[in-house]
Amino acid sequence: MTTELVKTESPSTLLSVRGLRVEFPIRRGMFSKKQVIRAVDDVTFDLRSGETFALVGESGSGKSTTARAILRLVDVVAGSVLLDGVDVTRLSKQELRATRRNMQMVFQDPYSSLDPSRTVGDAIAEPLEVHTDLDAAERRSKVGDLLEQVGLERAHAERYPHEFSGGQRQRIAIARAIAVEPKLVIADEAVSALDVSTQNQVIALLERLSAELGIAYLFIAHDLAVVRHIAQTTAVMYLGRIVEWGPSERLFTEPAHPYTQALLSAVPVPDPERQRRRERIRLSGELPDPADPPGGCAFNTRCPLVMPICREQSPAVTEVSGGGQVACHLSTT
Ligand SMILES: Nc1ncnc2c1ncn2[C@@H]1O[C@H](COP(=O)(O)OP(=O)(O)O)[C@@H](O)[C@H]1O
Ligand code: SF4
Ligand SMILES: [Mg+2]
């Protein structure tokens, strides 16, 4: 029995991740034996051109490592990452450079991606220098266009990152990410540090850019409330695995996995009846040690609906009515 979540590839598939596994060696104390953390375990999903696909789950569930593996910023132990049918995990360094043009990233903290000693204009021009033949004047003009495209002013190119608010800095990071017209932008907790109204503005900007430029997003967030409106498809990760995925519409109204239900019980809904039903499932306890995950279903130590079989067997993957798949013994019986 396999627990792999598989979607069939269609012609409009932009990114196809299959059986992705990433491990980190760890050593705890001088005399303890070497252990590994399987940060990403058998992760499989497809992202269509122009689509927004959300990856959600608590901190430590493997979201950022999945993103970094797709960009080949960490080594992949097993699996494949196909961008436009080309396996990124097998490319040489040189081939990878060309492919990176099509995959750009926006991080939670723009300070980590924006050099404080360089002007905003220089930061946005950098990918243009690496990936295009534009001369200095053309780059300057393009930077001005990009600033306007993300709701800032051309004159902002001369300023430094610290002169901007958090929301404006994310706009700058987005301008830089879209400068080379990538097909895919990975937004890793890109709005998580912003207040709710700024979050909504940045999400509206991302949606507009997707509509205008056909960009697809892999949108990563620990907070489910944030992804509901931007993502057509949502996948939920727990201890390195996708435990449920499906059309956001279905997943948010009829979550099939107890973990998804628990995450959603923290998100208020307007319908009081649905709110009451949801509150029955609360998430308790800490995320288990990822170096020593529970056997059977990895969620069994925190699942309010746990059964004896959950401690012995890993649940098979089944289809969910309304779309998507789930890995839970409750759905196989
Ligand atoms: N470079 C690393 N070395 C060792 N462990 C790591 C490294 N990066 C991430 N991890 C571990 O991998 C797991 C997944 O981390 P991460 O992908 O950052 O999760 P998320 O983005 O969902 O918070 C965590 O247990 C984390 O501690
Ligand atoms: S398989 Fe068992 S422990 Fe895991 S989520 Fe389902 S009911 Fe809970
Ligand atoms: Mg992360």
Side-chain angles (χ1 to χ4, degrees):
M1 220 183 307
T2 174
T3 55
E4 195 180 336
L5 298 173
V6 179
K7 278 168 88 176
T8 42
E9 235 178 282
S10 75
S12 61
T13 300
L14 172 67
L15 179 75
S16 186
V17 176
R18 287 287 172 277
L20 191 67
R21 192 196 299 167
V22 179
E23 293 176 344
F24 296 114
I26 49 158
R27 192 184 266 282
R28 290 180 175 148
M30 281 215 331
F31 305 107
S32 63
K33 67 177 199 301
K34 261 200 199 138
Q35 284 180 298
V36 294
I37 289 181
R38 194 167 281 184
V40 176
D41 191 5
D42 212 357
V43 162
T44 291
F45 65 90
D46 279 351
L47 202 165
R48 289 185 295 271
S49 293
E51 182 193 32
T52 297
F53 184 97
L55 211 48
V56 299
E58 285 164 287
S59 172
S61 55
K63 307 180 299 295
S64 295
T65 306
T66 302
R68 296 179 71 213
I70 291 167
L71 294 163
R72 257 192 56 188
L73 300 172
V74 290
D75 287 338
V76 168
V77 173
S80 59
V81 174
L82 272 68
L83 184 75
D84 267 339
V86 175
D87 191 348
V88 176
T89 64
R90 290 171 207 283
L91 295 181
S92 68
K93 281 224 166 80
Q94 201 163 9
E95 291 167 321
L96 191 60
R97 231 177 73 131
T99 305
R100 284 233 170 98
R101 177 179 182 155
N102 274 321
M103 296 195 282
Q104 297 289 316
M105 188 132 173
V106 179
F107 296 94
Q108 172 166 355
D109 175 16
Y111 271 129
S112 63
S113 49
L114 296 174
D115 182 343
S117 67
R118 298 178 72 200
T119 64
V120 162
D122 284 348
I124 299 173
E126 193 191 13
L128 294 170
E129 269 173 67
V130 175
H131 293 290
T132 72
D133 299 327
L134 300 182
D135 64 29
E138 289 168 331
R139 286 200 299 268
R140 230 182 342 268
S141 150
K142 174 85 179 166
V143 166
D145 295 346
L146 285 161
L147 282 166
E148 285 182 345
Q149 207 165 5
V150 298
L152 295 170
E153 293 164 26
R154 299 187 93 84
H156 286 156
E158 309 305 321
R159 299 207 196 155
Y160 290 88
H162 75 265
E163 298 176 62
F164 295 88
S165 68
Q168 287 173 319
R169 282 202 296 270
Q170 281 311 46
R171 287 176 191 268
I172 294 162
I174 292 165
R176 182 181 143 105
I178 65 166
V180 289
E181 294 160 22
K183 291 180 179 171
L184 173 66
V185 169
I186 300 181
D188 189 359
E189 308 272 7
V191 301
S192 303
L194 306 174
D195 62 71
V196 172
S197 97
T198 313
Q199 267 182 357
N200 290 337
Q201 289 165 13
V202 172
I203 286 174
L205 169 65
L206 291 172
E207 285 177 322
R208 177 165 63 73
L209 293 172
S210 172
E212 284 172 10
L213 308 169
I215 298 172
Y217 298 110
L218 178 59
F219 190 91
I220 296 174
H222 63 271
D223 179 358
L224 262 83
V226 163
V227 311
R228 177 165 194 171
H229 297 290
I230 188 173
Q232 288 87 49
T233 309
T234 297
V236 179
M237 282 188 84
Y238 189 77
L239 283 177
R241 284 175 169 262
I242 292 178
V243 295
E244 176 174 8
W245 70 268
S248 303
E249 190 60 39
R250 194 280 298 159
L251 190 129
F252 280 83
T253 49
E254 296 295 332
H257 198 283
Y259 181 58
T260 315
Q261 292 166 6
L263 288 178
L264 276 170
S265 69
V267 179
V269 288
D271 176 355
E273 172 52 34
R274 266 208 359 246
Q275 180 71 30
R276 259 195 304 279
R277 252 192 295 150
R278 265 182 191 179
E279 279 175 359
R280 279 190 228 140
I281 294 186
R282 283 202 181 277
L283 198 55
S284 60
E286 302 277 304
L287 202 64
D289 179 359
D292 186 20
C297 169
F299 189 51
N300 76 51
T301 53
R302 299 166 84 195
C303 182
L305 306 174
V306 61
M307 306 171 287
I309 191 180
C310 305
R311 299 198 177 88
E312 278 143 35
Q313 281 178 34
S314 191
V317 170
T318 52
E319 305 292 314
V320 181
S321 87
Q325 293 178 313
V326 64
C328 171
H329 287 300
L330 286 170
S331 300
T332 56
T333 48

